[in-house]
Amino acid sequence: MIVRIVFGIVGVVALAVLAVLTWPQAFRLEHTIGIAEAIAFRPILAVVAVVLAVLLLAGMLVARRTRALFGFLSVLLLLFAGGQAGILASRGWVPGVGHAGSAEAVADDDIVVLSWNTLGGEADAATVAGLALRLGADVVTLPETPESTATEIASLMEAGGTPVSAYTARHGDYAGLSTSILVATALGEYAVNGSFGDTGVLPSVVVSPVNGNGPTLAAVHPVAPVPDDLDDWKSDLDWVTKLCATPDLIAAGDFNATLDHLTGLGDCKDAALAAGTAALGTWPTWLPALAGAPIDHVVSTTGWRVVSAEVIQGEDEAGSDHRPITATLARE
């Protein structure tokens, strides 16, 4: 009898844990330490679940007394893995498949956004500028990029035929405590808008058109959800949510959050989700994109349609631990 009770408790606990890890939003636990980090790596959770299920199935062959429990847990784990795969499939690995975004020709009035956390400028100015010019980027958001690097990128882009204005916010002298944004002069004159405030630990920067004609642009960088900064992370995500109440907004950067954590972004829509690439990981670069955490985003409010979005996987040796992302947005 005691054994059955213990087995029952183990089964119930396993069911509860796997349910939370499948959809923590239903329990309002997506911002809880441990869970927040785990759900950022859904592909790895799925693989681990399959491996454990196989081991338990093998254990059923030699452990008679625990055969029923092992069988039950195996079924739970396989269902859990299938749930993870289903969620990832709904977010997409292939551009345009079952989603609104598709590869269209870029129109003259479309805005091409490039975002890249350069790890304090480890992805050097020439590499960033070269990528921006190849993409025809109009807006470049650069978390962890100091003013000196942003200025150098701007000079290289101007030499390449795309003059841009550079703006930088910083919370200290360390290069990683800076966030920069480059805006093509073809979009008009912009200026830093301090009325929106800022993220707490790491800086974000918002710029608005001087004449009021054009979108508000933001480079954002919430802090990572590590134990010492968990409250600051939640506060930063709240700041992003308030920012998303801004009409005619385009924001991009290292959100340090996946779509599971960004359930309250209001009017903002995620470009990768619309285009069908939101399951591809942007961090860290030493993991394949199919296994990484999709924590870098381009988002926009109503009035903008996603033409395309991509996680760029050809720059993994450039020095940063993040992959660059790009999205093309068109006026609706």
Side-chain angles (χ1 to χ4, degrees):
M1 179 65 70
I2 293 178
V3 172
R4 289 182 179 180
I5 292 174
V6 171
F7 284 2
I9 292 173
V10 171
V12 169
V13 170
L15 178 60
V17 169
L18 294 178
V20 168
L21 290 178
T22 298
W23 201 248
Q25 297 91 318
F27 308 93
R28 298 185 179 181
L29 294 173
E30 69 271 22
H31 297 149
T32 304
I33 199 69
I35 296 173
E37 292 81 3
I39 61 174
F41 295 95
R42 286 189 180 272
I44 294 177
L45 288 179
V47 171
V48 170
V50 171
V51 171
L52 290 176
V54 171
L55 292 175
L56 287 171
L57 288 171
M60 290 175 62
L61 301 176
V62 295
R64 286 188 175 184
R65 297 188 65 184
T66 57
R67 185 172 295 170
L69 176 62
F70 282 7
F72 176 71
L73 293 178
S74 297
V75 171
L76 282 185
L77 287 165
L78 291 174
L79 289 173
F80 172 75
Q84 300 301 315
I87 291 169
L88 292 167
S90 72
R91 295 173 180 176
W93 297 282
V94 182
V97 177
H99 296 263
S102 60
E104 300 177 14
V106 178
D108 290 340
D109 57 349
D110 290 352
I111 290 183
V112 178
V113 181
L114 168 65
S115 183
W116 198 354
N117 180 326
T118 67
L119 193 63
E122 288 299 314
D124 61 40
T127 301
V128 177
L131 179 59
L133 290 169
R134 289 197 301 275
L135 294 172
D138 304 291
V139 178
V140 184
T141 65
L142 299 167
E144 296 193 29
T145 305
E147 184 176 8
S148 57
T149 303
T151 300
E152 186 179 354
I153 295 168
S155 296
L156 292 169
M157 289 186 68
E158 182 170 8
T162 303
V164 295
S165 299
Y167 311 88
T168 300
R170 68 178 189 175
H171 285 178
D173 294 331
Y174 174 61
L177 296 177
S178 296
T179 296
S180 298
I181 183 170
L182 310 179
V183 182
T185 57
L187 296 182
E189 184 180 357
Y190 274 74
V192 173
N193 188 339
S195 67
F196 290 94
D198 195 0
T199 39
V201 178
L202 304 172
S204 297
V205 57
V206 182
V207 297
S208 298
V210 172
N211 64 4
N213 184 22
T216 298
L217 304 170
V220 303
H221 196 189
V223 72
V226 297
D228 289 344
D229 291 326
L230 189 65
D231 288 339
D232 290 317
W233 176 63
K234 294 177 183 177
S235 177
D236 286 350
L237 295 186
D238 287 342
W239 178 83
V240 173
T241 299
K242 292 176 183 177
L243 182 67
C244 280
T246 307
D248 201 9
L249 169 78
I250 297 173
D254 174 8
F255 285 58
N256 271 309
T258 71
L259 292 177
D260 291 299
H261 310 114
L262 300 174
T263 53
L265 283 186
D267 291 335
C268 275
K269 60 177 177 286
D270 184 81
L273 181 60
T277 58
L280 291 173
T282 62
W283 178 88
T285 52
W286 54 266
L287 276 177
L290 290 173
I295 60 174
D296 297 87
H297 304 272
V298 177
V299 302
S300 59
T301 50
T302 53
W304 291 97
R305 176 177 61 87
V306 177
V307 176
S308 63
E310 180 186 358
V311 176
I312 298 170
Q313 301 179 49
E315 301 288 350
D316 288 0
E317 303 301 321
S320 176
D321 57 346
H322 284 252
R323 294 184 176 93
I325 60 171
T326 184
T328 300
L329 307 173
R331 282 288 187 188
E332 289 184 320

